[in-house]
Amino acid sequence: MEITRHLFYNLSLLIVIAFFSLIWFEKKSNRTLSKTTSIFFFAFSLWVCLAVSYTPAPNLHFDLREIPIIISGLYLGLGPLMCALCIVLRSFFDTDGGFLANALLYAPIGFLLWRLHPWYVKIGSRQKIMASVMISITVSIFTAICLEVFDPPVNHFDAWFAYLLIPPLGVGIYSYFIEFIRRNILMYQSLVKTEKLEAVEQMGAAISHEIRNPLTAASGFVQLLKDPSVPAHKRNEYLAIVSQELESAERVIQDYLTFSKPALDYMEELQVKKELTQVINILRPTANQYSVQISTNFSLVGTIRGDRQKFQQCFLNVIKNAIESMPGGGQLTISTHFSEYDITIEVKDTGVGMTKDQISKLGEPYYSTKGKRGTGLGMMVVYGIVKAMKGTISVESAVGAGTTFTFTFPAVIKNEQF
Ligand code: ADP
Ligand code: MG
């Protein structure tokens, strides 16, 4: 059973080549194959088959050349090209009877595969596998007949057994894998599409909820203001509410914009101390409202590269969360440190804290424990901005004791000391 043994050896080589090609394909970002790459892959497989042929007599070559030819012919319409290549490659070994038999067999097969290709690409997955195996059995039968006519092998049973079993098996394995991968890619694409649609739906729901509420409230108060009998102090109160509601709608829109476009627009050198001081000033009224004491420790600060507006938005969200976590008042400490390469910013509160589970959900869209008051967008935006600025975030928290957010950003090398 020498022929069977050698053909199995040939099959294992083809599978190894296919395996490595699959790994390479997986690593490719766009997951598409160009025609040139496919031709190279099949031509290489064909060459390997011929190179490892079992040659019991000089003009006899037993191998699995039909596998790359059939698969490339059916799937890509490369039949004529691969058959021509096979005839040329075979001529390097000898140009006697074996060569003639090979040419006589593969010239019509090339033509046949070329005619079958348009039909083949249209049929279903299961039919493709069945059809390719049937075609392989037919080619194998003709190969065995050619052998009998031109150069009868010593062991007839071995030759027939090997050719009827191994090439159809190999073709079956190849087409099964191709169909399997194709199905996976299609599934992945439809999943991405569904996710995108879901995101749009969620966005729509969130916008109508988060933006409509403040707008409705604002327009209600505007209606009230129309009444000339409203006293002046009430008027100011209503106007303050209108302005607050509009601001909150604005903030939601800002968060959405940053999330959908986290790329940094205007990169510039930012002095961490200056930017954080500005953010703290914006939030001071909120801190007072919550009776939160803010202390800073900016003894050593440096410069980082980033988008000013986004950097401020990021820390506005973080510090606001910290203040909101201390409804009964508390201590908020903001400090910065720098080393040669990094700048660390620490935001520490003595608020309600978070459980491990809550920490793991930070940054997920719409994750909020604040009920109607929360949007669950703030931290999502924070993570987006920090990632775009090549920074990292770590969180330490204990329920009832407080939370510390630590941010690290790459420093601009010329660090200044303040
Ligand atoms: P929102 O503030 O609208 O709820 P965020 O995305 O800003 O949404 O925050 C999500 C959730 O993370 C908050 O609802 C809160 O539960 C939790 N969180 C964020 N920062 C802190 C903090 N400093 N202390 C305790 N919990 C926090
Ligand atoms: Mg928030």
Side-chain angles (χ1 to χ4, degrees), residues 150-298:
F150 285 89
D151 224 325
V154 184
N155 186 341
H156 293 277
F157 175 74
D158 185 17
W160 279 88
F161 178 77
Y163 270 99
L164 281 183
L165 176 74
I166 302 165
L169 178 71
V171 166
I173 293 175
Y174 260 75
S175 50
Y176 182 87
F177 266 114
I178 293 174
E179 292 309 315
F180 180 76
I181 294 164
R182 197 205 294 270
R183 235 188 352 257
N184 262 324
I185 291 177
L186 284 180
M187 244 156 66
Y188 173 75
Q189 282 170 345
S190 85
L191 193 76
V192 169
K193 207 165 152 188
T194 320
E195 270 182 2
K196 274 189 190 158
L197 280 178
E198 248 172 39
V200 172
E201 274 168 23
Q202 273 192 341
M203 189 107 141
I207 287 187
S208 61
H209 176 245
E210 255 87 62
I211 299 179
R212 208 155 66 194
N213 283 354
L215 289 187
T216 316
S219 94
F221 281 99
V222 170
Q223 290 296 330
L224 289 179
L225 283 169
K226 275 188 188 162
D227 183 353
S229 65
V230 175
H233 72 278
K234 276 279 174 205
R235 212 165 257 281
N236 285 342
E237 201 181 301
Y238 291 172
L239 278 173
I241 296 175
V242 169
S243 135
Q244 252 178 30
E245 295 294 330
L246 291 182
E247 261 172 36
S248 98
E250 220 262 42
R251 217 177 30 248
V252 173
I253 293 174
Q254 189 59 46
D255 277 348
Y256 266 115
L257 286 182
T258 315
F259 177 64
S260 58
K261 198 168 162 283
L264 308 175
D265 294 330
Y266 306 103
M267 294 293 275
E268 54 191 315
E269 289 190 0
L270 307 175
Q271 283 175 16
V272 176
K273 177 183 177 180
K274 197 173 130 210
E275 303 307 327
L276 288 178
T277 311
Q278 262 189 28
V279 174
I280 293 167
N281 286 340
I282 297 172
L283 286 174
R284 225 174 262 287
T286 321
N288 289 341
Q289 206 183 320
Y290 280 79
S291 322
V292 167
Q293 295 279 330
I294 302 182
S295 59
T296 54
N297 180 8
F298 294 149

Side-chain angles (χ1 to χ4, degrees), residues 22-95:
L22 183 68
I23 292 182
W24 170 81
F25 179 68
E26 270 260 278
K27 296 256 179 291
K28 263 188 92 181
S29 52
N30 57 0
R31 298 252 178 117
T32 49
L33 272 187
S34 68
K35 196 126 189 168
T36 327
T37 321
S38 317
I39 294 176
F40 176 78
F41 168 74
F42 285 112
F44 179 68
S45 304
L46 179 66
W47 174 77
V48 168
C49 289
L50 289 167
V52 300
S53 274
Y54 171 48
T55 325
N59 53 345
L60 271 180
H61 290 259
F62 297 100
D63 55 60
L64 294 180
R65 67 191 83 163
E66 69 172 87
I67 295 182
I69 290 178
I70 292 176
I71 294 291
S72 64
L74 289 177
Y75 276 96
L76 301 165
L78 296 177
L81 179 74
M82 294 297 287
C83 286
L85 185 68
C86 173
I87 294 168
V88 172
L89 285 176
R90 178 66 178 79
S91 73
F92 292 146
F93 295 98
D94 53 71
T95 44

Side-chain angles (χ1 to χ4, degrees), residues 264 266-270 303-307 389 409-412:
L264 308 175
Y266 306 103
M267 294 293 275
E268 54 191 315
E269 289 190 0
L270 307 175
T303 312
I304 58 173
R305 269 187 78 73
D307 180 317
M389 285 179 64
F409 296 102
V412 173

